[in-house]
Amino acid sequence: MEKNIAEIIESGKASLGIELGSTRIKAVLIAPDTSVLAAGDYTWENKLENGIWTYSLDDVWAGLRSAYSELVNDAAQKYGVKITKLRALGFSAMMHGYLPFDKNGELLTPFRTWRNTKQAQAADELTELFGFNIPQRWSIAHLYQAILNGEEHTKDIAFLTTLAGYVHWRLTGEKTLGIGEASGMFPIDSAKLDYNGEMLEKFSSIPAVQAMPWNIRDILPKVLLAGDNSARLSDEGAKLLDETGALQGGAIVCPPEGDAGTGMVATNAVLPGTGNISAGTSVFSMVVLRKELQGVYSKIDMVTTPSGAPVAMVHCNNCSSEIDAWVKIFTQYNSLIGADIKKPDLYDKLYEIALTGDSDCGGVYAYNYFSGEPVTDVEEGRPMLVRTPDANFNIANLMRAQLFSAMAALKYGNDILSDKENVQIDCLTGHGGLFKTPKVGQKLMAAAMKAPIAVMKTAAEGGAWGIAVLAEFAGGEHGASLPEYLENEVFKGAEKTVEEPCENDIAGFNKFMKNYIAGLEAERKAAETIK
């Protein structure tokens, strides 16, 4: 088997995916059947400089080279081979943000990441102008806010892109983006599979924008679909990635995508009626729509799959941190009484006991807000536990309330889709820490989303694997659409468990939410008064 793998790598039939996440850059090498052959990573972190969350471009290249070098060493140790050529590769990164370059390719201002929240005026004005929700983290909000601020550099912009688009550009010379990543820069017309022309015109008609010497159409990257194989790794780009000079140019480079798009690929959630839920420190859902939404909602971002289908995204800042805090308390108690229970086992027991609690948590309510939560209009967080005097206060209801709280803001946003837009969901795939204990997170999330929740038997490899799969899709001869390729080749026969929504759990969650929503005012007041 190792001999066959060595031949795949040596003959240049392997594909590479690299994703630049918020805390880690990960590289994954895959075979034509998308199985993982080798991997490498690099830990990094953003910095707050002059009030702006940023990463330096030097750190970008140091991280890419280090992750790739570690992958090369991993392949050498496992199979005794040296990587000199690839069939295809692709790059993914945190979506949104602001990277403006001048005509000489020089960065005009430090990279402004998605995490910055100084674009409220621009986001609000553009949302009203477009009749389409523009979140602060979107690139167009960053650009317009810089113009509103009178920032001198704006007149010199020749190219505006994202982090993934920047890396792709430097390695291929192509100023392009995959459509999913582009949908976090500027609204997409899913019928035309390009930026929304009417909104481009509206943006161009703003007096402050008219005063600029450029046209918005000319400075945005070209939009491409999954499977496009027009870009190639240049010889110069190969040397940027591999400082040893062993890697040759010429490999196909797939359109760069954002972490949301690679997450959809990694969970086989690109067909209308499907979607995924990522639940860890934060939680977000991606629901692939059968048609565009009729209304405009500040709680819902409209993006696309890597093949251009419209996606409704609900992103919540808080999820598992408060559960982790309670597990820490129980861990300390176990230590106090001399009980030896490993933390993973403790998580399982506390999750499982939650299923025995009252369907509505018996009058126990929790707010897991370590930070503010835009979905529920809470600006600053204060974790709270509240119960009525006659509550059935026991460990089962305590843990059930904590799990409900981890899902409550997500439910609040997604109820808009079901109640106001009548969006029907066939199935959502869950991944992340909330789903590690078998069935529990699935069962309660199914009640929150009023839809079946699937979890893959084998955990997905994540976004780096997702962009590697997109690279293989572009570089191989598959003769299928992206949904067909994923369903019939990548995930064919994949084992998974599915939990259907239970009417009793749905009714209990709805009852819990009634008082949870009413109590949000107490959460806001707590932030005002408890310092």
Side-chain angles (χ1 to χ4, degrees):
M1 179 63 179
E2 286 187 8
K3 182 178 179 181
N4 291 337
I5 293 175
E7 289 176 354
I8 288 172
I9 296 173
E10 287 185 318
S11 62
K13 294 179 182 177
S15 294
L16 171 70
I18 301 182
E19 181 158 278
L20 296 93
S22 58
T23 59
R24 187 171 64 144
I25 299 173
K26 185 175 181 181
V28 170
L29 189 73
I30 65 170
D33 67 359
T34 73
S35 59
V36 176
L37 305 178
D41 65 10
Y42 175 83
T43 300
W44 71 339
E45 60 181 352
N46 54 188
K47 300 173 183 176
L48 186 63
E49 296 181 352
N50 300 316
I52 298 294
W53 288 105
T54 188
Y55 298 85
S56 77
L57 297 191
D58 287 343
D59 285 347
V60 169
W61 294 108
L64 284 169
R65 291 170 187 138
S66 178
Y68 178 75
S69 175
E70 193 171 289
L71 177 143
V72 169
N73 292 336
D74 187 36
Q77 291 173 8
K78 287 178 177 176
Y79 317 112
V81 295
K82 187 175 184 179
I83 300 174
T84 60
K85 52 186 175 180
L86 298 163
R87 187 219 293 273
L89 67 158
F91 300 94
S92 175
M94 301 165 280
M95 291 179 73
H96 320 298
Y98 186 67
L99 279 162
F101 295 88
D102 66 15
K103 63 182 180 181
N104 298 315
E106 296 296 325
L107 185 63
L108 292 167
T109 184
F111 172 35
R112 299 174 184 178
T113 77
W114 62 271
R115 191 176 182 183
N116 290 287
T117 55
K118 298 177 181 293
Q119 301 79 238
Q121 181 186 357
D124 290 345
E125 289 186 14
L126 292 177
T127 296
E128 183 176 354
L129 177 67
F130 294 162
F132 183 99
N133 182 39
I134 302 295
Q136 289 193 50
R137 60 183 179 274
W138 281 30
S139 304
I140 194 63
H142 281 271
L143 171 61
Y144 186 43
Q145 190 65 59
I147 293 172
L148 290 174
N149 293 345
E151 296 185 39
E152 186 68 19
H153 78 268
T154 55
K155 65 177 175 36
D156 297 321
I157 297 175
F159 178 47
L160 177 64
T161 191
T162 63
L163 182 55
Y166 164 70
V167 173
H168 182 88
W169 170 41
R170 288 293 309 276
L171 295 184
T172 68
E174 301 288 336
K175 297 178 178 179
T176 59
L177 282 184
I179 194 168
E181 175 77 337
S183 70
M185 287 196 78
F186 195 92
I188 291 291
D189 183 336
S190 286
K192 296 182 178 179
L193 301 176
D194 201 351
Y195 299 118
N196 187 295
E198 182 181 346
M199 294 181 193
L200 286 171
E201 292 299 330
K202 287 183 176 180
F203 183 77
S204 297
S205 69
I206 299 172
V209 175
Q210 286 182 325
M212 293 292 128
W214 43 258
N215 185 289
I216 185 63
R217 292 177 183 272
D218 298 330
I219 67 171
L220 289 175
K222 181 181 178 182
V223 177
L224 298 177
L225 300 181
D228 181 274
N229 58 9
S230 59
R232 294 290 187 277
L233 178 66
S234 67
D235 292 338
E236 296 78 10
K239 290 182 176 63
L240 269 176
L241 187 61
D242 182 3
E243 290 182 298
T244 70
L247 182 62
Q248 301 170 19
I252 289 168
V253 186
C254 72
E257 270 297 345
D259 49 3
T262 56
M264 284 186 274
V265 170
T267 54
N268 191 22
V270 297
L271 276 173
T274 68
N276 68 344
I277 297 174
S278 176
T281 304
S282 63
V283 61
F284 65 86
S285 63
M286 311 284 291
V287 177
V288 187
L289 303 174
R290 293 181 170 89
K291 61 179 182 179
E292 299 277 0
L293 300 182
Q294 298 301 303
V296 178
Y297 309 99
S298 63
K299 318 300 180 189
I300 299 173
D301 295 2
M302 286 301 303
V303 292
T304 79
T305 68
S307 50
V311 175
M313 178 181 186
V314 177
H315 185 282
C316 307
N317 288 352
N318 302 280
C319 184
S320 64
S321 295
E322 180 68 348
I323 295 173
D324 296 341
W326 278 98
V327 171
K328 184 177 180 181
I329 290 293
F330 284 114
T331 300
Q332 291 173 349
Y333 174 74
N334 289 335
S335 178
L336 190 65
I337 64 173
D340 183 20
I341 303 176
K342 297 185 183 302
K343 186 172 283 189
D345 295 333
L346 181 57
Y347 269 100
D348 287 345
K349 290 181 181 298
L350 291 173
Y351 272 51
E352 288 161 0
I353 196 68
L355 292 184
T356 69
D358 296 318
S359 65
D360 63 349
C361 304
V364 182
Y365 301 90
Y367 296 86
N368 66 333
Y369 296 176
F370 264 60
S371 67
E373 188 54 76
V375 172
T376 52
D377 300 313
V378 174
E379 293 185 3
E380 190 177 345
R382 294 293 184 274
M384 293 200 315
L385 179 69
V386 180
R387 58 190 171 99
T388 59
D390 60 347
N392 184 18
F393 188 49
N394 55 35
I395 192 169
N397 282 332
L398 169 65
M399 292 312 301
R400 191 178 181 94
Q402 293 298 335
L403 285 166
F404 273 18
S405 175
M407 305 171 187
L410 189 72
K411 175 177 173 58
Y412 186 82
N414 276 278
D415 279 350
I416 296 171
L417 296 178
S418 59
D419 298 347
K420 295 186 178 181
E421 294 281 346
N422 196 31
V423 171
Q424 303 297 313
I425 301 172
D426 298 333
C427 188
L428 297 171
T429 300
H431 59 109
L434 198 72
F435 299 104
K436 282 186 178 179
T437 300
K439 292 191 175 183
V440 180
Q442 274 180 273
K443 183 176 175 61
L444 298 184
M445 188 65 81
M449 301 296 288
K450 295 175 283 192
I453 303 294
V455 170
M456 299 287 182
K457 190 79 171 181
T458 303
E461 295 289 344
W465 180 73
I467 192 64
V469 169
L470 286 173
E472 168 60 30
F473 179 61
E477 297 178 0
H478 301 286
S481 67
L482 178 62
E484 290 169 339
Y485 169 63
L486 294 178
E487 186 69 23
N488 300 328
E489 295 188 43
V490 179
F491 291 97
K492 186 178 181 179
E495 292 185 63
K496 63 182 178 181
T497 61
V498 180
E499 287 291 327
E500 299 286 339
C502 166
E503 290 301 325
N504 187 53
D505 287 337
I506 291 174
F509 212 140
N510 287 340
K511 186 176 178 182
F512 172 90
M513 285 297 292
K514 184 177 180 181
N515 278 334
Y516 175 91
I517 292 169
L520 285 170
E521 191 55 42
E523 171 68 24
R524 297 182 188 106
K525 199 67 177 177
E528 291 177 16
T529 57
I530 301 174
K531 301 296 183 182

